[in-house]
Amino acid sequence: PQGIGSPSVYHAVIVIFLEFFAWGLLTAPTLVVLHETFPKHTFLMNGLIQGVKGLLSFLSAPLIGALSDVWGRKSFLLLTVFFTCAPIPLMKISPWWYFAVISVSGVFAVTFSVVFAYVADITQEHERSMAYGLVSATFAASLVTSPAIGAYLGRVYGDSLVVVLATAIALLDICFILVAVPESLPEKMRPASWGAPISWEQADPFASLKKVGQDSVVLLICITVFLSYLPEAGQYSSFFLYLRQIMGFSSESVAAFIAVLGILSIIAQTIVLSLLMRSIGNKNTILLGLGFQILQLAWYGFGSEPWMMWAAGAVAAMSSITFPAVSALVSRTADADQQGVVQGMITGIRGLCNGLGPALYGFIFYIFHVELNELPMPESPSGGSVMSQYRLEQNSIIPGPPFLFGACSVLLALLVALFIPEHTNLNVRSSNWKKHCGSHGHPHSPQAPGEAKEPLLQDTNV
């Protein structure tokens, strides 16, 4: 069966919404299970788990994208959603297996890569930006609502019900792909046989990164992206655990924080970003976003009270304008035939940071002894956790040392970004890449490295 109706963006939107809604429900239970499973080195183990998952996703994304060109999108949508959601029921069956499967699932946890290729198959080039924006907005919307729902159900009915509900939604997503999602890649667009060769260049995750040094402006942009996104990736992996276990946030407060931050980020990336781009220009918007990120990370690093976290969260929403501004700068200054190459380099660097960032944050938390001696105490009737005597193993001048390290990294990114010219023509040699893509691509879905590989709000954590 080919599914219901003709392929559309709405099929992709529903797949993304159901997957991340299921994971959003588990935000609060996951934080509790993580600390119960690894009471001594919670942040270190969290960093290693998310780091292994991120690195495996970075290594496997190009190969899965190339295979989907041969075998079709539907089968790989099913594969990636299944393996991404496979750990969910294990949370209550065996926490150790739960975290082990999460790490290994990174090999297939690249749903966005396949979804964006699906969208590219069925949209014209002038429609693609709006379609990608719809998918990214759906991703954000699922995380705005689901953590609060999961926290409420967990408090009233217990975490077991939340895990069962998340498992049911994941199964619904799998059934929706099997029954309703039509294949977007027609047979005539695929190679002649399933045995069509896939070259190492297609499967090489470092292929786009090898071109970084061929243009000085591209090199500056890529260094800026690396230095600014490395702390961001680490922050996404550990920040909600930090709020819950160290700052004393209740489950409901963490859910509310995610919702407010998500809404403010959407506003910042749409209304505020367009106003800034028109009024102060592209480069100055990047510099302003990096400045907000430095302020946010420093505030997280030195903040010791819950209200400081809320204030810094508002600043964090403004810092989310940086990456869209970088992408816009590249799209305006690169030649038409260079877009995929340069965007692919940026996407590759962000993918690498998704593996390195969480592990780095976990290690810094570990060497600064930011851990708890005991489990959180029961929540008070007012909704806050009673944790005054359980803050840290030892008093520290810097409550959140990794965030301060991140602020220093972004400061270096700001200094590098000062040297990026406002207007230039990027020139990256890509003849081999174009020849290679021409042999396996098709007119509706050119598989440029990095094109249609990643949403605006990346990656499965917030």
Side-chain angles (χ1 to χ4, degrees):
Q2 291 300 310
I4 299 175
S6 58
S8 70
V9 176
Y10 299 106
H11 288 101
V13 162
I14 293 173
V15 170
I16 286 293
F17 182 85
L18 290 176
E19 177 180 329
F20 290 101
F21 190 88
W23 275 107
L25 289 173
L26 297 177
T27 301
T30 297
L31 301 182
V32 175
V33 171
L34 183 66
H35 185 69
E36 290 176 346
T37 308
F38 309 108
K40 294 297 183 184
H41 304 303
T42 311
F43 289 97
L44 176 63
M45 294 307 300
N46 176 64
L48 292 177
I49 291 166
Q50 297 297 332
V52 169
K53 180 181 178 181
L55 283 174
L56 290 176
S57 298
F58 167 71
L59 294 173
S60 64
L63 177 60
I64 289 180
L67 289 173
S68 74
D69 286 342
V70 178
W71 295 344
R73 315 294 184 202
K74 181 171 180 173
S75 57
F76 280 90
L77 275 177
L78 187 64
L79 186 71
T80 56
V81 170
F82 175 80
F83 278 98
T84 302
C85 297
I88 291 178
L90 295 174
M91 177 181 283
K92 286 299 178 184
I93 299 173
S94 172
W96 280 93
W97 275 107
Y98 170 70
F99 290 115
V101 174
I102 283 180
S103 300
V104 178
S105 70
V107 174
F108 298 101
V110 288
T111 306
F112 267 112
S113 297
V114 184
V115 164
F116 273 46
Y118 187 97
V119 172
D121 292 340
I122 58 179
T123 55
Q124 300 298 321
E125 190 171 348
H126 66 278
E127 304 171 327
R128 214 159 283 163
S129 296
M130 184 173 293
Y132 291 164
L134 180 61
V135 173
S136 297
T138 303
F139 164 75
S142 68
L143 293 183
V144 165
T145 55
S146 54
I149 295 173
Y152 172 77
L153 293 176
R155 180 170 56 86
V156 176
Y157 301 105
D159 288 346
S160 296
L161 176 69
V162 180
V163 174
V164 170
L165 180 60
T167 304
I169 292 174
L171 290 174
L172 176 63
D173 197 11
I174 293 172
C175 292
F176 176 78
I177 296 171
L178 281 171
V179 176
V181 175
E183 176 57 60
S184 66
L185 191 63
E187 290 287 344
K188 63 182 180 180
M189 296 295 186
R190 307 183 203 177
S193 70
W194 277 29
I198 295 175
S199 67
W200 168 245
E201 187 177 354
Q202 279 178 289
D204 182 8
F206 299 96
S208 61
L209 300 183
K210 293 173 183 175
K211 303 183 180 74
V212 167
Q214 296 179 5
D215 184 280
S216 59
V217 179
V218 172
L219 181 61
L220 290 174
I221 292 174
C222 289
I223 292 174
T224 301
V225 170
F226 179 81
L227 291 174
S228 62
Y229 194 71
L230 184 68
E232 186 176 339
Q235 172 189 325
Y236 285 164
S237 70
S238 62
F239 186 64
F240 302 125
L241 175 64
Y242 180 78
L243 291 179
R244 184 82 172 91
Q245 305 290 354
I246 302 300
M247 299 309 300
F249 275 46
S250 65
S251 299
E252 290 79 7
S253 297
V254 172
F257 189 95
I258 295 173
V260 171
L261 190 61
I263 294 171
L264 291 177
S265 295
I266 293 172
I267 295 173
Q269 293 182 28
T270 53
I271 301 172
V272 177
L273 179 62
S274 61
L275 291 175
L276 289 174
M277 294 281 277
R278 287 198 300 265
S279 58
I280 65 175
N282 209 317
K283 178 182 174 180
N284 289 331
T285 302
I286 295 174
L287 297 177
L288 184 63
L290 293 173
F292 277 118
Q293 190 178 359
I294 293 170
L295 177 60
Q296 160 225 332
L297 289 167
W299 212 337
Y300 283 156
F302 288 111
S304 57
E305 298 296 332
W307 71 266
M308 296 181 180
M309 299 296 105
W310 283 97
V315 178
M318 281 300 301
S319 72
S320 67
I321 64 175
T322 303
F323 183 69
V326 168
S327 297
L329 177 67
V330 169
S331 66
R332 290 182 180 183
T333 56
D335 294 333
D337 62 346
Q338 302 285 303
Q339 293 283 343
V341 181
V342 184
Q343 295 283 5
M345 295 176 195
I346 295 174
T347 302
I349 287 173
R350 283 167 62 88
L352 194 59
C353 289
N354 283 327
L356 298 177
L360 180 63
Y361 264 52
F363 180 69
I364 296 175
F365 272 124
Y366 172 71
I367 62 176
F368 278 88
H369 306 290
V370 181
E371 299 291 348
L372 290 175
N373 284 322
E374 300 184 22
L375 286 170
M377 294 183 67
E379 294 182 359
S380 64
S382 61
S385 296
V386 185
M387 297 180 61
S388 58
Q389 67 269 45
Y390 296 105
R391 286 288 182 175
L392 302 175
E393 287 186 355
Q394 60 184 31
N395 293 326
S396 175
I397 299 175
I398 306 172
F403 304 114
L404 193 60
F405 168 83
C408 296
S409 177
V410 180
L411 178 60
L412 293 175
L414 179 64
L415 296 176
V416 172
L418 289 172
F419 294 95
I420 299 175
E422 180 75 43
H423 301 288
T424 186
N425 287 323
L426 303 183
N427 182 24
V428 181
R429 293 184 294 276
S430 58
S431 57
N432 291 336
W433 168 80
K434 284 187 282 188
K435 177 182 176 183
H436 159 73
C437 284
S439 63
H440 292 287
H442 58 84
H444 296 294
S445 180
Q447 292 301 306
E451 180 178 341
K453 288 262 177 117
E454 186 171 54
L456 197 60
L457 302 174
Q458 216 282 338
D459 157 45
T460 74
N461 288 327
V462 67

